[in-house]
Amino acid sequence: MKQITNSLVLLLLFSCSIAFAQEKYTLSGKITEASSNETLISVNVIIPELNTGAVTNEYGFYSITLPEGTYKVAVSYLGFTDVIETITLDKNTSKNFSLEESFENLDEIIITENIEKLNIKKPQMSVNALSSATIKDIPVVFGEADVIKAITLLPGVTNAGEGSSGFNVRGGAVDQNLILLDEATVFNSSHLFGFFSVFNPDAIKDIKLYKGGIPARYGGRVSSVLDIYQKEGNSKEFHMNGGIGIIASRLLAEGPIKKDKGSFLLGGRSSYAHLFLPLFDIDNKAYFYDLNTKLSYDLDDNNSIYLSGYFGRDVFSIADSFENTYGNTVVNFRWNHLFSDKLFSNMSLIYSDYYYGLKLNFVEFDWNSGIQNFNFKYDFKHYVADGFKLQYGINSMYYKFNPGEIEPSTPTSGINSFKLTDKYAFENSVYIDAEHKISDKLNLSYGLRLSSFLRLGQDQLNTYQNDQAVVFNDSFQIYQKATPTGSETYNRSHIIESFANLEPRASLAYQLNDDASIKASYNRMTQYLHLLSNTSSPTPLDVWTPSGKYVKPQLLDQVALGYFKSINEDKYSLEVETYYKKIQNRIDYIDGADLIANDAIEQVILNGEARAYGLEILFRKNQGRFKGWLAYTLSKSEQRTPGFTSSELGINNGNWYNTAYDKTHDISLTGSYDWNKKWNFSANFLFQTGQPTTYPNGQYVYNGVNIPSYSNRNADRLPAYHRLDFSANYTPKPDKTKGWQSYWVFSVYNAYNRRNAASITFGENRMTGTNEATRLAIFGLIPSVSYNFKF
């Protein structure tokens, strides 16, 4: 026994000596832009001697734990001059870095280690990031830089065509995308029914699109996460920038509240094409305006507070008979706190509102609807050790859904007030994420999210026999609305229905060599909110509804496998991914479903399933005078709603059918060429398989009326979509870095005037009596010019 005790003592002493010999300390701090003191996201902090490093988080903070010693620290960020400093680490050290924008007339610091190779090691996959500068270089309609249009040039991302709202990711619906602006949910991302996005590129600092392998800190949607952060503003000096275009202009101001401590940002945009319509005796209007604002203040070295907001409205009217107003409002108060050099926290109080209103003067009533969201988040990032990081937190959201209400607009109106039943819900979640370096070749990321959803009491809820709100008519072989057997009224504190789901996430990266790796991921996600829309592209009139007694939450399982390669010192890069995802409880609609002003929406909804799979290829040229990428996606997106019993046919006879956003082939080629200091040229080409649709395949005569019969759901397609865009940026004084600086943007959208079909309708020619098809195209060739400035 004594011998064993002595052995344990010796082992303990040996372990202590090893620990002392390998004493470790933490290097941490913030990285900012030198000219504005703006924090920078995803900056690489590299220790070349140890072939390790860290990346700044969403708030510009980094932390890395290393053995005691003297090291070169290399800091690198795209578009900024690299910094290398020698640091002696003999205690926990706080070190902030300021990076200067890189200009051709500055001597660049060359780092022999390829910073970008660390991306090969990261387990994160199915993620695309775009800078504000890249977005501004992409030619778009009317010459206005657009975030949503830019991400549709990436693999796996499409939309329903020109003039359509939102975007589709990996065969998912528009409502399956979580869109965040400074952590606040944006329920409608489009201006003017999809011609513009609500995001002002001048105010945007960072954009990331997660298509798969989504970290556990995100939840509530099953297709993707578009995470956008606004700039904090310049805390060193006052600056303004803006642009004047053919149909819209923008202006942004930023400056210090207190130098190096606090800053403000205020930006606005507005379109004004409607002001010229009276010149042509047109009394219609169609315009938008929005406002971005942010206040930032560093209380001390460990505490910072932020107040950010967005307000946007669209107005569309036809003479004095009709006016449509809709838009988003979001406000977020954040508190960043540094508990230690290894523990960082962020607390957020968020309000989000989406409003939709109609004024129908010709029938003398107003219609209002919308959704409100109150959100509390508290997130922690814990740098436990070099090679092991934890991120964990809680999230609680309260929803109020206003499906619609009618109010008479004049005292003499014959319309009575009418209110659809408001709905309420409470969504909660806790999560933990881990980043774990197993070896020099193997890195893991894994996490778990526990979400719950409580459908709260409402004034009136229909009841049905056997709880079936939709019934199958055996005689006519169709689904019909069930007749309510009664209704129930609940107190607001009553829980009508509750759901709870575990959502595991995992991804890994295995490094084949210094330039290549393979990655794999799995994630399960739950979506408790549903956008009610039976059109191929959502409209502002579409409303959101929560899961409940008759509408079940959507459940996603997605797996992905990828190959990533850096070529010729990252001058080129190749990303190849394949994925498969399956969704349970995807809502479907009975034939002839009426979704507008329906107070019993459960009577037209069925729970089905969806699946999507595909192959994505992204080849990029990252350096040189010519830069750009080629993106190709081969994919399939299908949906099925079988019958609940053997006697029921289901939708489309219970067979799989193409979703409205299925695109077999999607190709985009994007390039930018710096001809000289003054001129930059950009172009992009798109090709997509035509959008699925349903055509009539025959007709019959009933009581002297021709009635068409239709093929299976989405069995047909519109013609293929393709177009070519060009733009040229001209900077008169490229070497000027202070005072008034400006540049011109000349662009041509749809250069060869392709009349892409937005829809094809069928009818009878009144002159000849024959059937005919009418093709609707929204855009042809559109030239534009804009003048942009800053000072």
Side-chain angles (χ1 to χ4, degrees), residues 11-26:
L11 180 60
L12 180 60
L13 291 172
F14 178 74
S15 299
C16 291
S17 65
I18 294 294
F20 181 79
Q22 296 180 340
E23 188 74 40
K24 292 188 175 183
Y25 298 103
T26 299

Side-chain angles (χ1 to χ4, degrees), residues 271-331:
S271 65
Y272 39 72
H274 65 287
L275 298 177
F276 302 100
L277 294 180
L279 299 176
F280 305 96
D281 292 327
I282 299 175
D283 194 20
N284 300 337
K285 295 179 181 178
Y287 65 93
F288 74 87
Y289 58 92
D290 56 26
L291 177 71
N292 296 77
T293 183
K294 196 165 190 177
L295 301 175
S296 310
Y297 197 84
D298 295 332
L299 300 176
D300 53 39
D301 290 341
N302 296 328
N303 294 278
S304 300
I305 56 174
Y306 307 87
L307 179 64
S308 61
Y310 168 84
F311 178 82
R313 283 293 183 265
D314 282 73
V315 178
F316 174 69
S317 66
I318 299 177
D320 295 325
S321 61
F322 169 91
E323 183 174 308
N324 176 205
T325 304
Y326 66 94
N328 299 276
T329 301
V330 300
V331 179

Side-chain angles (χ1 to χ4, degrees), residues 112-320:
T112 55
E113 288 287 325
N114 187 353
I115 300 297
E116 296 299 326
K117 285 183 180 178
L118 284 182
N119 294 324
I120 298 294
K121 298 181 179 181
K122 293 177 183 177
Q124 193 177 70
M125 65 182 299
S126 306
V127 178
N128 295 116
L130 288 176
S131 67
S132 179
T134 299
I135 292 171
K136 290 179 181 179
D137 280 343
I138 296 174
V140 291
V141 65
F142 301 126
E144 287 295 312
D146 192 290
V147 170
I148 303 300
K149 296 294 189 297
I151 65 174
T152 60
L153 298 174
L154 298 170
V157 188
T158 63
N159 67 7
E162 291 168 329
S164 63
S165 299
F167 57 98
N168 307 104
V169 177
R170 288 186 170 177
V174 170
D175 70 309
Q176 294 174 337
N177 303 314
L178 177 63
I179 303 174
L180 301 174
L181 179 64
D182 276 351
E183 302 178 343
T185 303
V186 175
F187 289 97
N188 188 323
S189 63
S190 299
H191 279 311
L192 293 183
F193 305 98
F195 293 135
F196 301 91
S197 79
V198 300
F199 306 110
N200 182 348
D202 288 341
I204 300 304
K205 177 166 69 172
D206 185 74
I207 300 170
K208 284 189 177 66
L209 176 67
Y210 298 83
K211 300 179 293 185
I214 298 173
R217 65 181 179 273
Y218 298 109
R221 300 293 188 273
V222 295
S223 190
S224 75
V225 177
L226 180 61
D227 198 4
I228 301 176
Y229 281 88
Q230 294 187 120
K231 295 177 180 177
E232 273 97 40
N234 194 318
S235 66
K236 289 185 175 293
E237 53 189 13
F238 179 80
H239 285 283
M240 294 186 73
N241 64 278
I244 302 172
I246 293 177
I247 68 167
S249 291
R250 65 191 189 278
L251 184 65
L252 183 139
E254 56 182 328
I257 299 173
K258 183 177 181 181
K259 191 169 183 180
D260 293 329
K261 293 280 288 183
S263 63
F264 74 89
L265 179 144
L266 182 64
R269 292 188 304 168
S270 180
S271 65
Y272 39 72
H274 65 287
L275 298 177
F276 302 100
L277 294 180
L279 299 176
F280 305 96
D281 292 327
I282 299 175
D283 194 20
N284 300 337
K285 295 179 181 178
Y287 65 93
F288 74 87
Y289 58 92
D290 56 26
L291 177 71
N292 296 77
T293 183
K294 196 165 190 177
L295 301 175
S296 310
Y297 197 84
D298 295 332
L299 300 176
D300 53 39
D301 290 341
N302 296 328
N303 294 278
S304 300
I305 56 174
Y306 307 87
L307 179 64
S308 61
Y310 168 84
F311 178 82
R313 283 293 183 265
D314 282 73
V315 178
F316 174 69
S317 66
I318 299 177
D320 295 325

Side-chain angles (χ1 to χ4, degrees), residues 11 18 35 51 63 69 82 86 105 227 246 255 269 335 353 372 457 497 499 635 708 791:
L11 180 60
I18 294 294
S35 62
N51 195 26
S63 176
D82 301 331
T86 299
N105 59 343
D227 198 4
I246 293 177
R269 292 188 304 168
W335 169 45
D353 173 79
Q372 291 180 311
E497 194 78 14
F499 306 93
S635 63
F791 60 90

Side-chain angles (χ1 to χ4, degrees), residues 22 36-37 57 112 135 249 271 284 309-310 359 420-421 478 510 557 568 572 574 576 610 625 653 715 739 750:
Q22 296 180 340
S36 66
N37 216 31
N57 66 10
T112 55
I135 292 171
S249 291
S271 65
N284 300 337
Y310 168 84
K359 292 182 180 296
L420 299 179
T421 304
I478 59 172
Y510 182 78
D557 290 285
N568 193 11
Y572 305 89
L574 174 66
V576 181
R625 297 172 68 181
N653 295 319
N750 197 2

Side-chain angles (χ1 to χ4, degrees), residues 267-465:
R269 292 188 304 168
S270 180
S271 65
Y272 39 72
H274 65 287
L275 298 177
F276 302 100
L277 294 180
L279 299 176
F280 305 96
D281 292 327
I282 299 175
D283 194 20
N284 300 337
K285 295 179 181 178
Y287 65 93
F288 74 87
Y289 58 92
D290 56 26
L291 177 71
N292 296 77
T293 183
K294 196 165 190 177
L295 301 175
S296 310
Y297 197 84
D298 295 332
L299 300 176
D300 53 39
D301 290 341
N302 296 328
N303 294 278
S304 300
I305 56 174
Y306 307 87
L307 179 64
S308 61
Y310 168 84
F311 178 82
R313 283 293 183 265
D314 282 73
V315 178
F316 174 69
S317 66
I318 299 177
D320 295 325
S321 61
F322 169 91
E323 183 174 308
N324 176 205
T325 304
Y326 66 94
N328 299 276
T329 301
V330 300
V331 179
N332 182 12
F333 173 78
R334 291 195 289 113
W335 169 45
N336 285 174
H337 177 63
L338 188 63
F339 286 95
S340 70
D341 52 14
K342 291 188 176 182
L343 183 58
F344 180 93
S345 73
N346 177 73
M347 186 187 74
S348 299
L349 298 172
I350 304 167
Y351 170 76
S352 178
D353 173 79
Y354 174 68
Y355 167 79
Y356 178 85
L358 280 175
K359 292 182 180 296
L360 301 175
N361 297 327
F362 64 97
V363 289
E364 298 182 327
F365 77 80
D366 298 340
W367 167 274
N368 298 288
S369 64
I371 175 174
Q372 291 180 311
N373 167 225
F374 300 89
N375 187 356
F376 171 75
K377 292 174 77 261
Y378 204 4
D379 302 299
F380 299 84
K381 190 152 190 178
H382 196 168
Y383 300 83
V384 180
D386 184 32
F388 188 72
K389 303 177 182 67
L390 288 177
Q391 193 161 349
Y392 43 87
I394 60 173
N395 191 4
S396 293
M397 291 180 282
Y398 174 80
Y399 297 98
K400 178 185 177 182
F401 302 84
N402 174 15
E405 58 182 322
I406 293 175
E407 292 287 345
S409 57
T410 64
T412 59
S413 172
I415 302 296
N416 295 322
S417 297
F418 174 71
K419 179 79 172 70
L420 299 179
T421 304
D422 287 341
K423 301 178 177 67
Y424 304 87
F426 196 36
E427 183 176 352
N428 300 285
S429 60
V430 295
Y431 76 89
I432 184 167
D433 263 323
E435 296 179 35
H436 195 176
K437 180 181 178 181
I438 304 298
S439 68
D440 288 340
K441 291 186 173 293
L442 181 61
N443 288 269
L444 300 181
S445 175
Y446 47 89
L448 183 65
R449 184 182 184 90
L450 172 61
S451 63
S452 68
F453 191 82
L454 308 178
R455 177 69 178 273
L456 303 179
Q458 63 187 57
D459 294 339
Q460 185 176 340
L461 182 68
N462 289 338
T463 58
Y464 302 91
Q465 185 177 357

Side-chain angles (χ1 to χ4, degrees), residues 545-562:
T545 193
S547 297
K549 191 173 182 179
Y550 306 107
V551 182
K552 305 305 178 186
Q554 301 177 65
L555 301 175
L556 162 84
D557 290 285
Q558 178 176 222
V559 293
L561 180 66

